[in-house]
Structures are given as structure tokens and as C-alpha cells.
Amino acid sequence: MFYSAFIFGLISSFHCIGMCGPIAMMLPIDRTNEAKKITQIITYHIGKLTTYGILGLLFGLLGRSFYLAGMQQQLSIIVGVLMIMVAVIPEKVFAKYNFSKPVYRLITKVKSSLGQQFKNKSYKSLFTIGLLNGFLPCGMVYVALFGAIAMQNVTLGIGYMLLFGLGTIPMMVAVVYASGLLSFSFRGAIQKAIPLVAVIIGMLFIIRGLGLNIPYLSPSNMSLFVQPEANCH
């Protein structure tokens, strides 16, 4: 499942080009000093990874509560179904419902603070930009958070989100250096592949929850539970 987090991050980074690409291209970095430019970009991504780690912590705790309630299999299946739903249902359908209304004011404040940070070229500002950017609404992040919940472990939840974040970095760094790196047709093809990857990952979570006794992929029902003593035959 960790591999799926990084791969999904890598694929979804093509979606990020359209959503977060403008932010990456507008970063207040020193474009005359290459060494400083690199460290500034790294600082920005560290800030973003910090946010993903915090989200992984929170949703890992949520997943842990389901684990303690004995809902390991059910949760894995539910998460898989939700991933597939987010991938196949058009965004315009979700747009009809303002799911973010309860936190709309908070999102507005984040955007406002984000805009203020672009006026300063300090490392602190770059870290803050990455930190705040990670909290902006994003469908790809939501799918990754489902995965963090399904890890049913705080440490694994954090690790899942960090790997997702690491997967988005290569393409976002490339955007800073060359905004026209990829042709429009190629980006369009990748955009079409993103839902397919999300569906595949969702199916993996469903198969995992079914307990089909397939090593590494779908452990048996007994293997899904922590026991004080080994279950030997």
C-alpha cells in the first residue's frame, strides 16, 4: 500500500500542475542564484510535506479508532469504494454541493495568508507557503487521506501521506524550471489516467479488506487482527 501512495502522488502531480502549478511558478525564489534557488524550493516542499504529515497523523488516528473497534476489513472496503467513487464521479457533480461550507471561512483565511507570504523571499515565507498550500482543498489529497485512514495506524498514516507528497515533488519542481515542459496533449493523456490509477488503488483496498488469504495483497481474516499469541497450526 505504501507503493501505491507514492505512485498515486506521482501520477496525481500532473493534476497538480493545473491546480498548484501557478503557485509553484510564482514562488518568491532567487532566480539569479541557482544554489539558493534549489534550497528555497526544497524549503517550500518541506512545508507542504509537513502539512501532509499533520493530515496523516489526524486521519491515522481516525483509522486507528476504527481498528480498535474491530472494523479493519469493513474500513478497507469502504475506503476502496470511496476512492473509486471520487475517481469516477465527475467533479461538476460534487460542485453542486458545497461540502466545504462549514470550513469556508478557514479556507478563505488560508488563501489570504498564502497571498501575503508571496511578498517575502525569506525561507520562513517559503516554508509557510508550502504549509498553507497543503491545506487547500484538493480531490487528489482527499483520495490519499482515504488511504491514510485505511492504514489504521498513526505512524503508517503519516508515512502514507508523506509518500504521497514525495510523489508529487518531481513534477512540481519541473514546473518551476520549465512551465512548458510537457505538451498539452501529453498532459491531457495523463489527466485521463489519474482516475484509472485511483480506481486500481481503490480496488486494492477492497481486495485487501475481503481477506482472500493472498500473501501481501489480501491477508486472511485471522491475519488482520492483532493477537497476544501467535496463531500456529
Side-chain angles (χ1 to χ4, degrees):
M1 290 304 172
F2 272 137
Y3 293 124
S4 72
F6 181 79
I7 293 172
F8 184 64
L10 192 62
I11 296 297
S12 65
S13 64
F14 289 89
H15 171 80
C16 295
I17 292 177
M19 300 299 292
C20 300
I23 293 177
M25 288 186 284
M26 292 171 57
L27 289 176
I29 58 178
D30 189 340
R31 302 182 186 276
T32 61
N33 186 322
E34 191 62 28
K36 187 176 181 180
K37 179 180 178 180
I38 293 174
T39 57
Q40 289 176 323
I41 293 174
I42 291 174
T43 301
Y44 161 74
H45 284 289
I46 289 176
K48 201 170 182 181
L49 286 174
T50 299
T51 296
Y52 288 156
I54 293 172
L55 293 174
L57 169 65
L58 296 176
F59 284 83
L61 284 170
L62 179 60
R64 177 65 177 172
S65 66
F66 283 109
Y67 174 81
L68 294 175
M71 297 177 62
Q72 298 96 317
Q73 288 179 274
Q74 298 93 323
L75 179 61
S76 188
I77 294 172
I78 291 171
V79 164
V81 171
L82 289 174
M83 282 185 169
I84 294 174
M85 287 179 61
V86 172
V88 300
I89 297 177
E91 290 187 12
K92 61 182 180 181
V93 175
F94 288 108
K96 294 179 181 179
Y97 307 95
N98 191 2
F99 294 109
S100 62
K101 188 175 181 180
V103 293
Y104 181 76
R105 291 183 180 179
L106 178 61
I107 294 173
T108 301
K109 290 181 179 180
V110 170
K111 290 182 178 180
S112 177
S113 299
L114 190 60
Q116 294 175 4
Q117 296 301 320
F118 280 94
K119 301 175 183 180
N120 196 328
K121 292 186 177 182
S122 69
Y123 283 97
K124 179 181 178 181
S125 290
L126 286 162
F127 177 83
T128 304
I129 290 172
L131 194 73
L132 294 173
N133 189 15
F135 282 113
L136 291 178
C138 175
M140 300 300 101
V141 174
Y142 297 158
V143 173
L145 288 174
F146 288 146
I149 293 175
M151 290 295 99
Q152 302 170 18
N153 178 287
V154 176
T155 302
L156 294 181
I158 294 173
Y160 193 92
M161 289 305 298
L162 289 178
L163 280 173
F164 167 78
L166 287 172
T168 67
I169 291 177
M171 187 52 60
M172 296 310 297
V173 171
V175 166
V176 176
Y177 283 91
S179 58
L181 182 67
L182 301 174
S183 66
F184 180 79
S185 59
F186 181 75
R187 278 184 288 176
I190 295 297
Q191 287 278 15
K192 292 179 181 179
I194 292 174
L196 177 60
V197 174
V199 168
I200 292 173
I201 294 175
M203 291 176 65
L204 287 175
F205 275 106
I206 292 174
I207 293 173
R208 177 192 180 210
L210 291 174
L212 301 176
N213 198 23
I214 302 174
Y216 304 107
L217 179 61
S218 183
S220 64
N221 295 355
M222 186 65 70
S223 300
L224 291 173
F225 294 88
V226 177
Q227 304 175 65
E229 297 180 1
N231 180 47
C232 302
H233 297 282

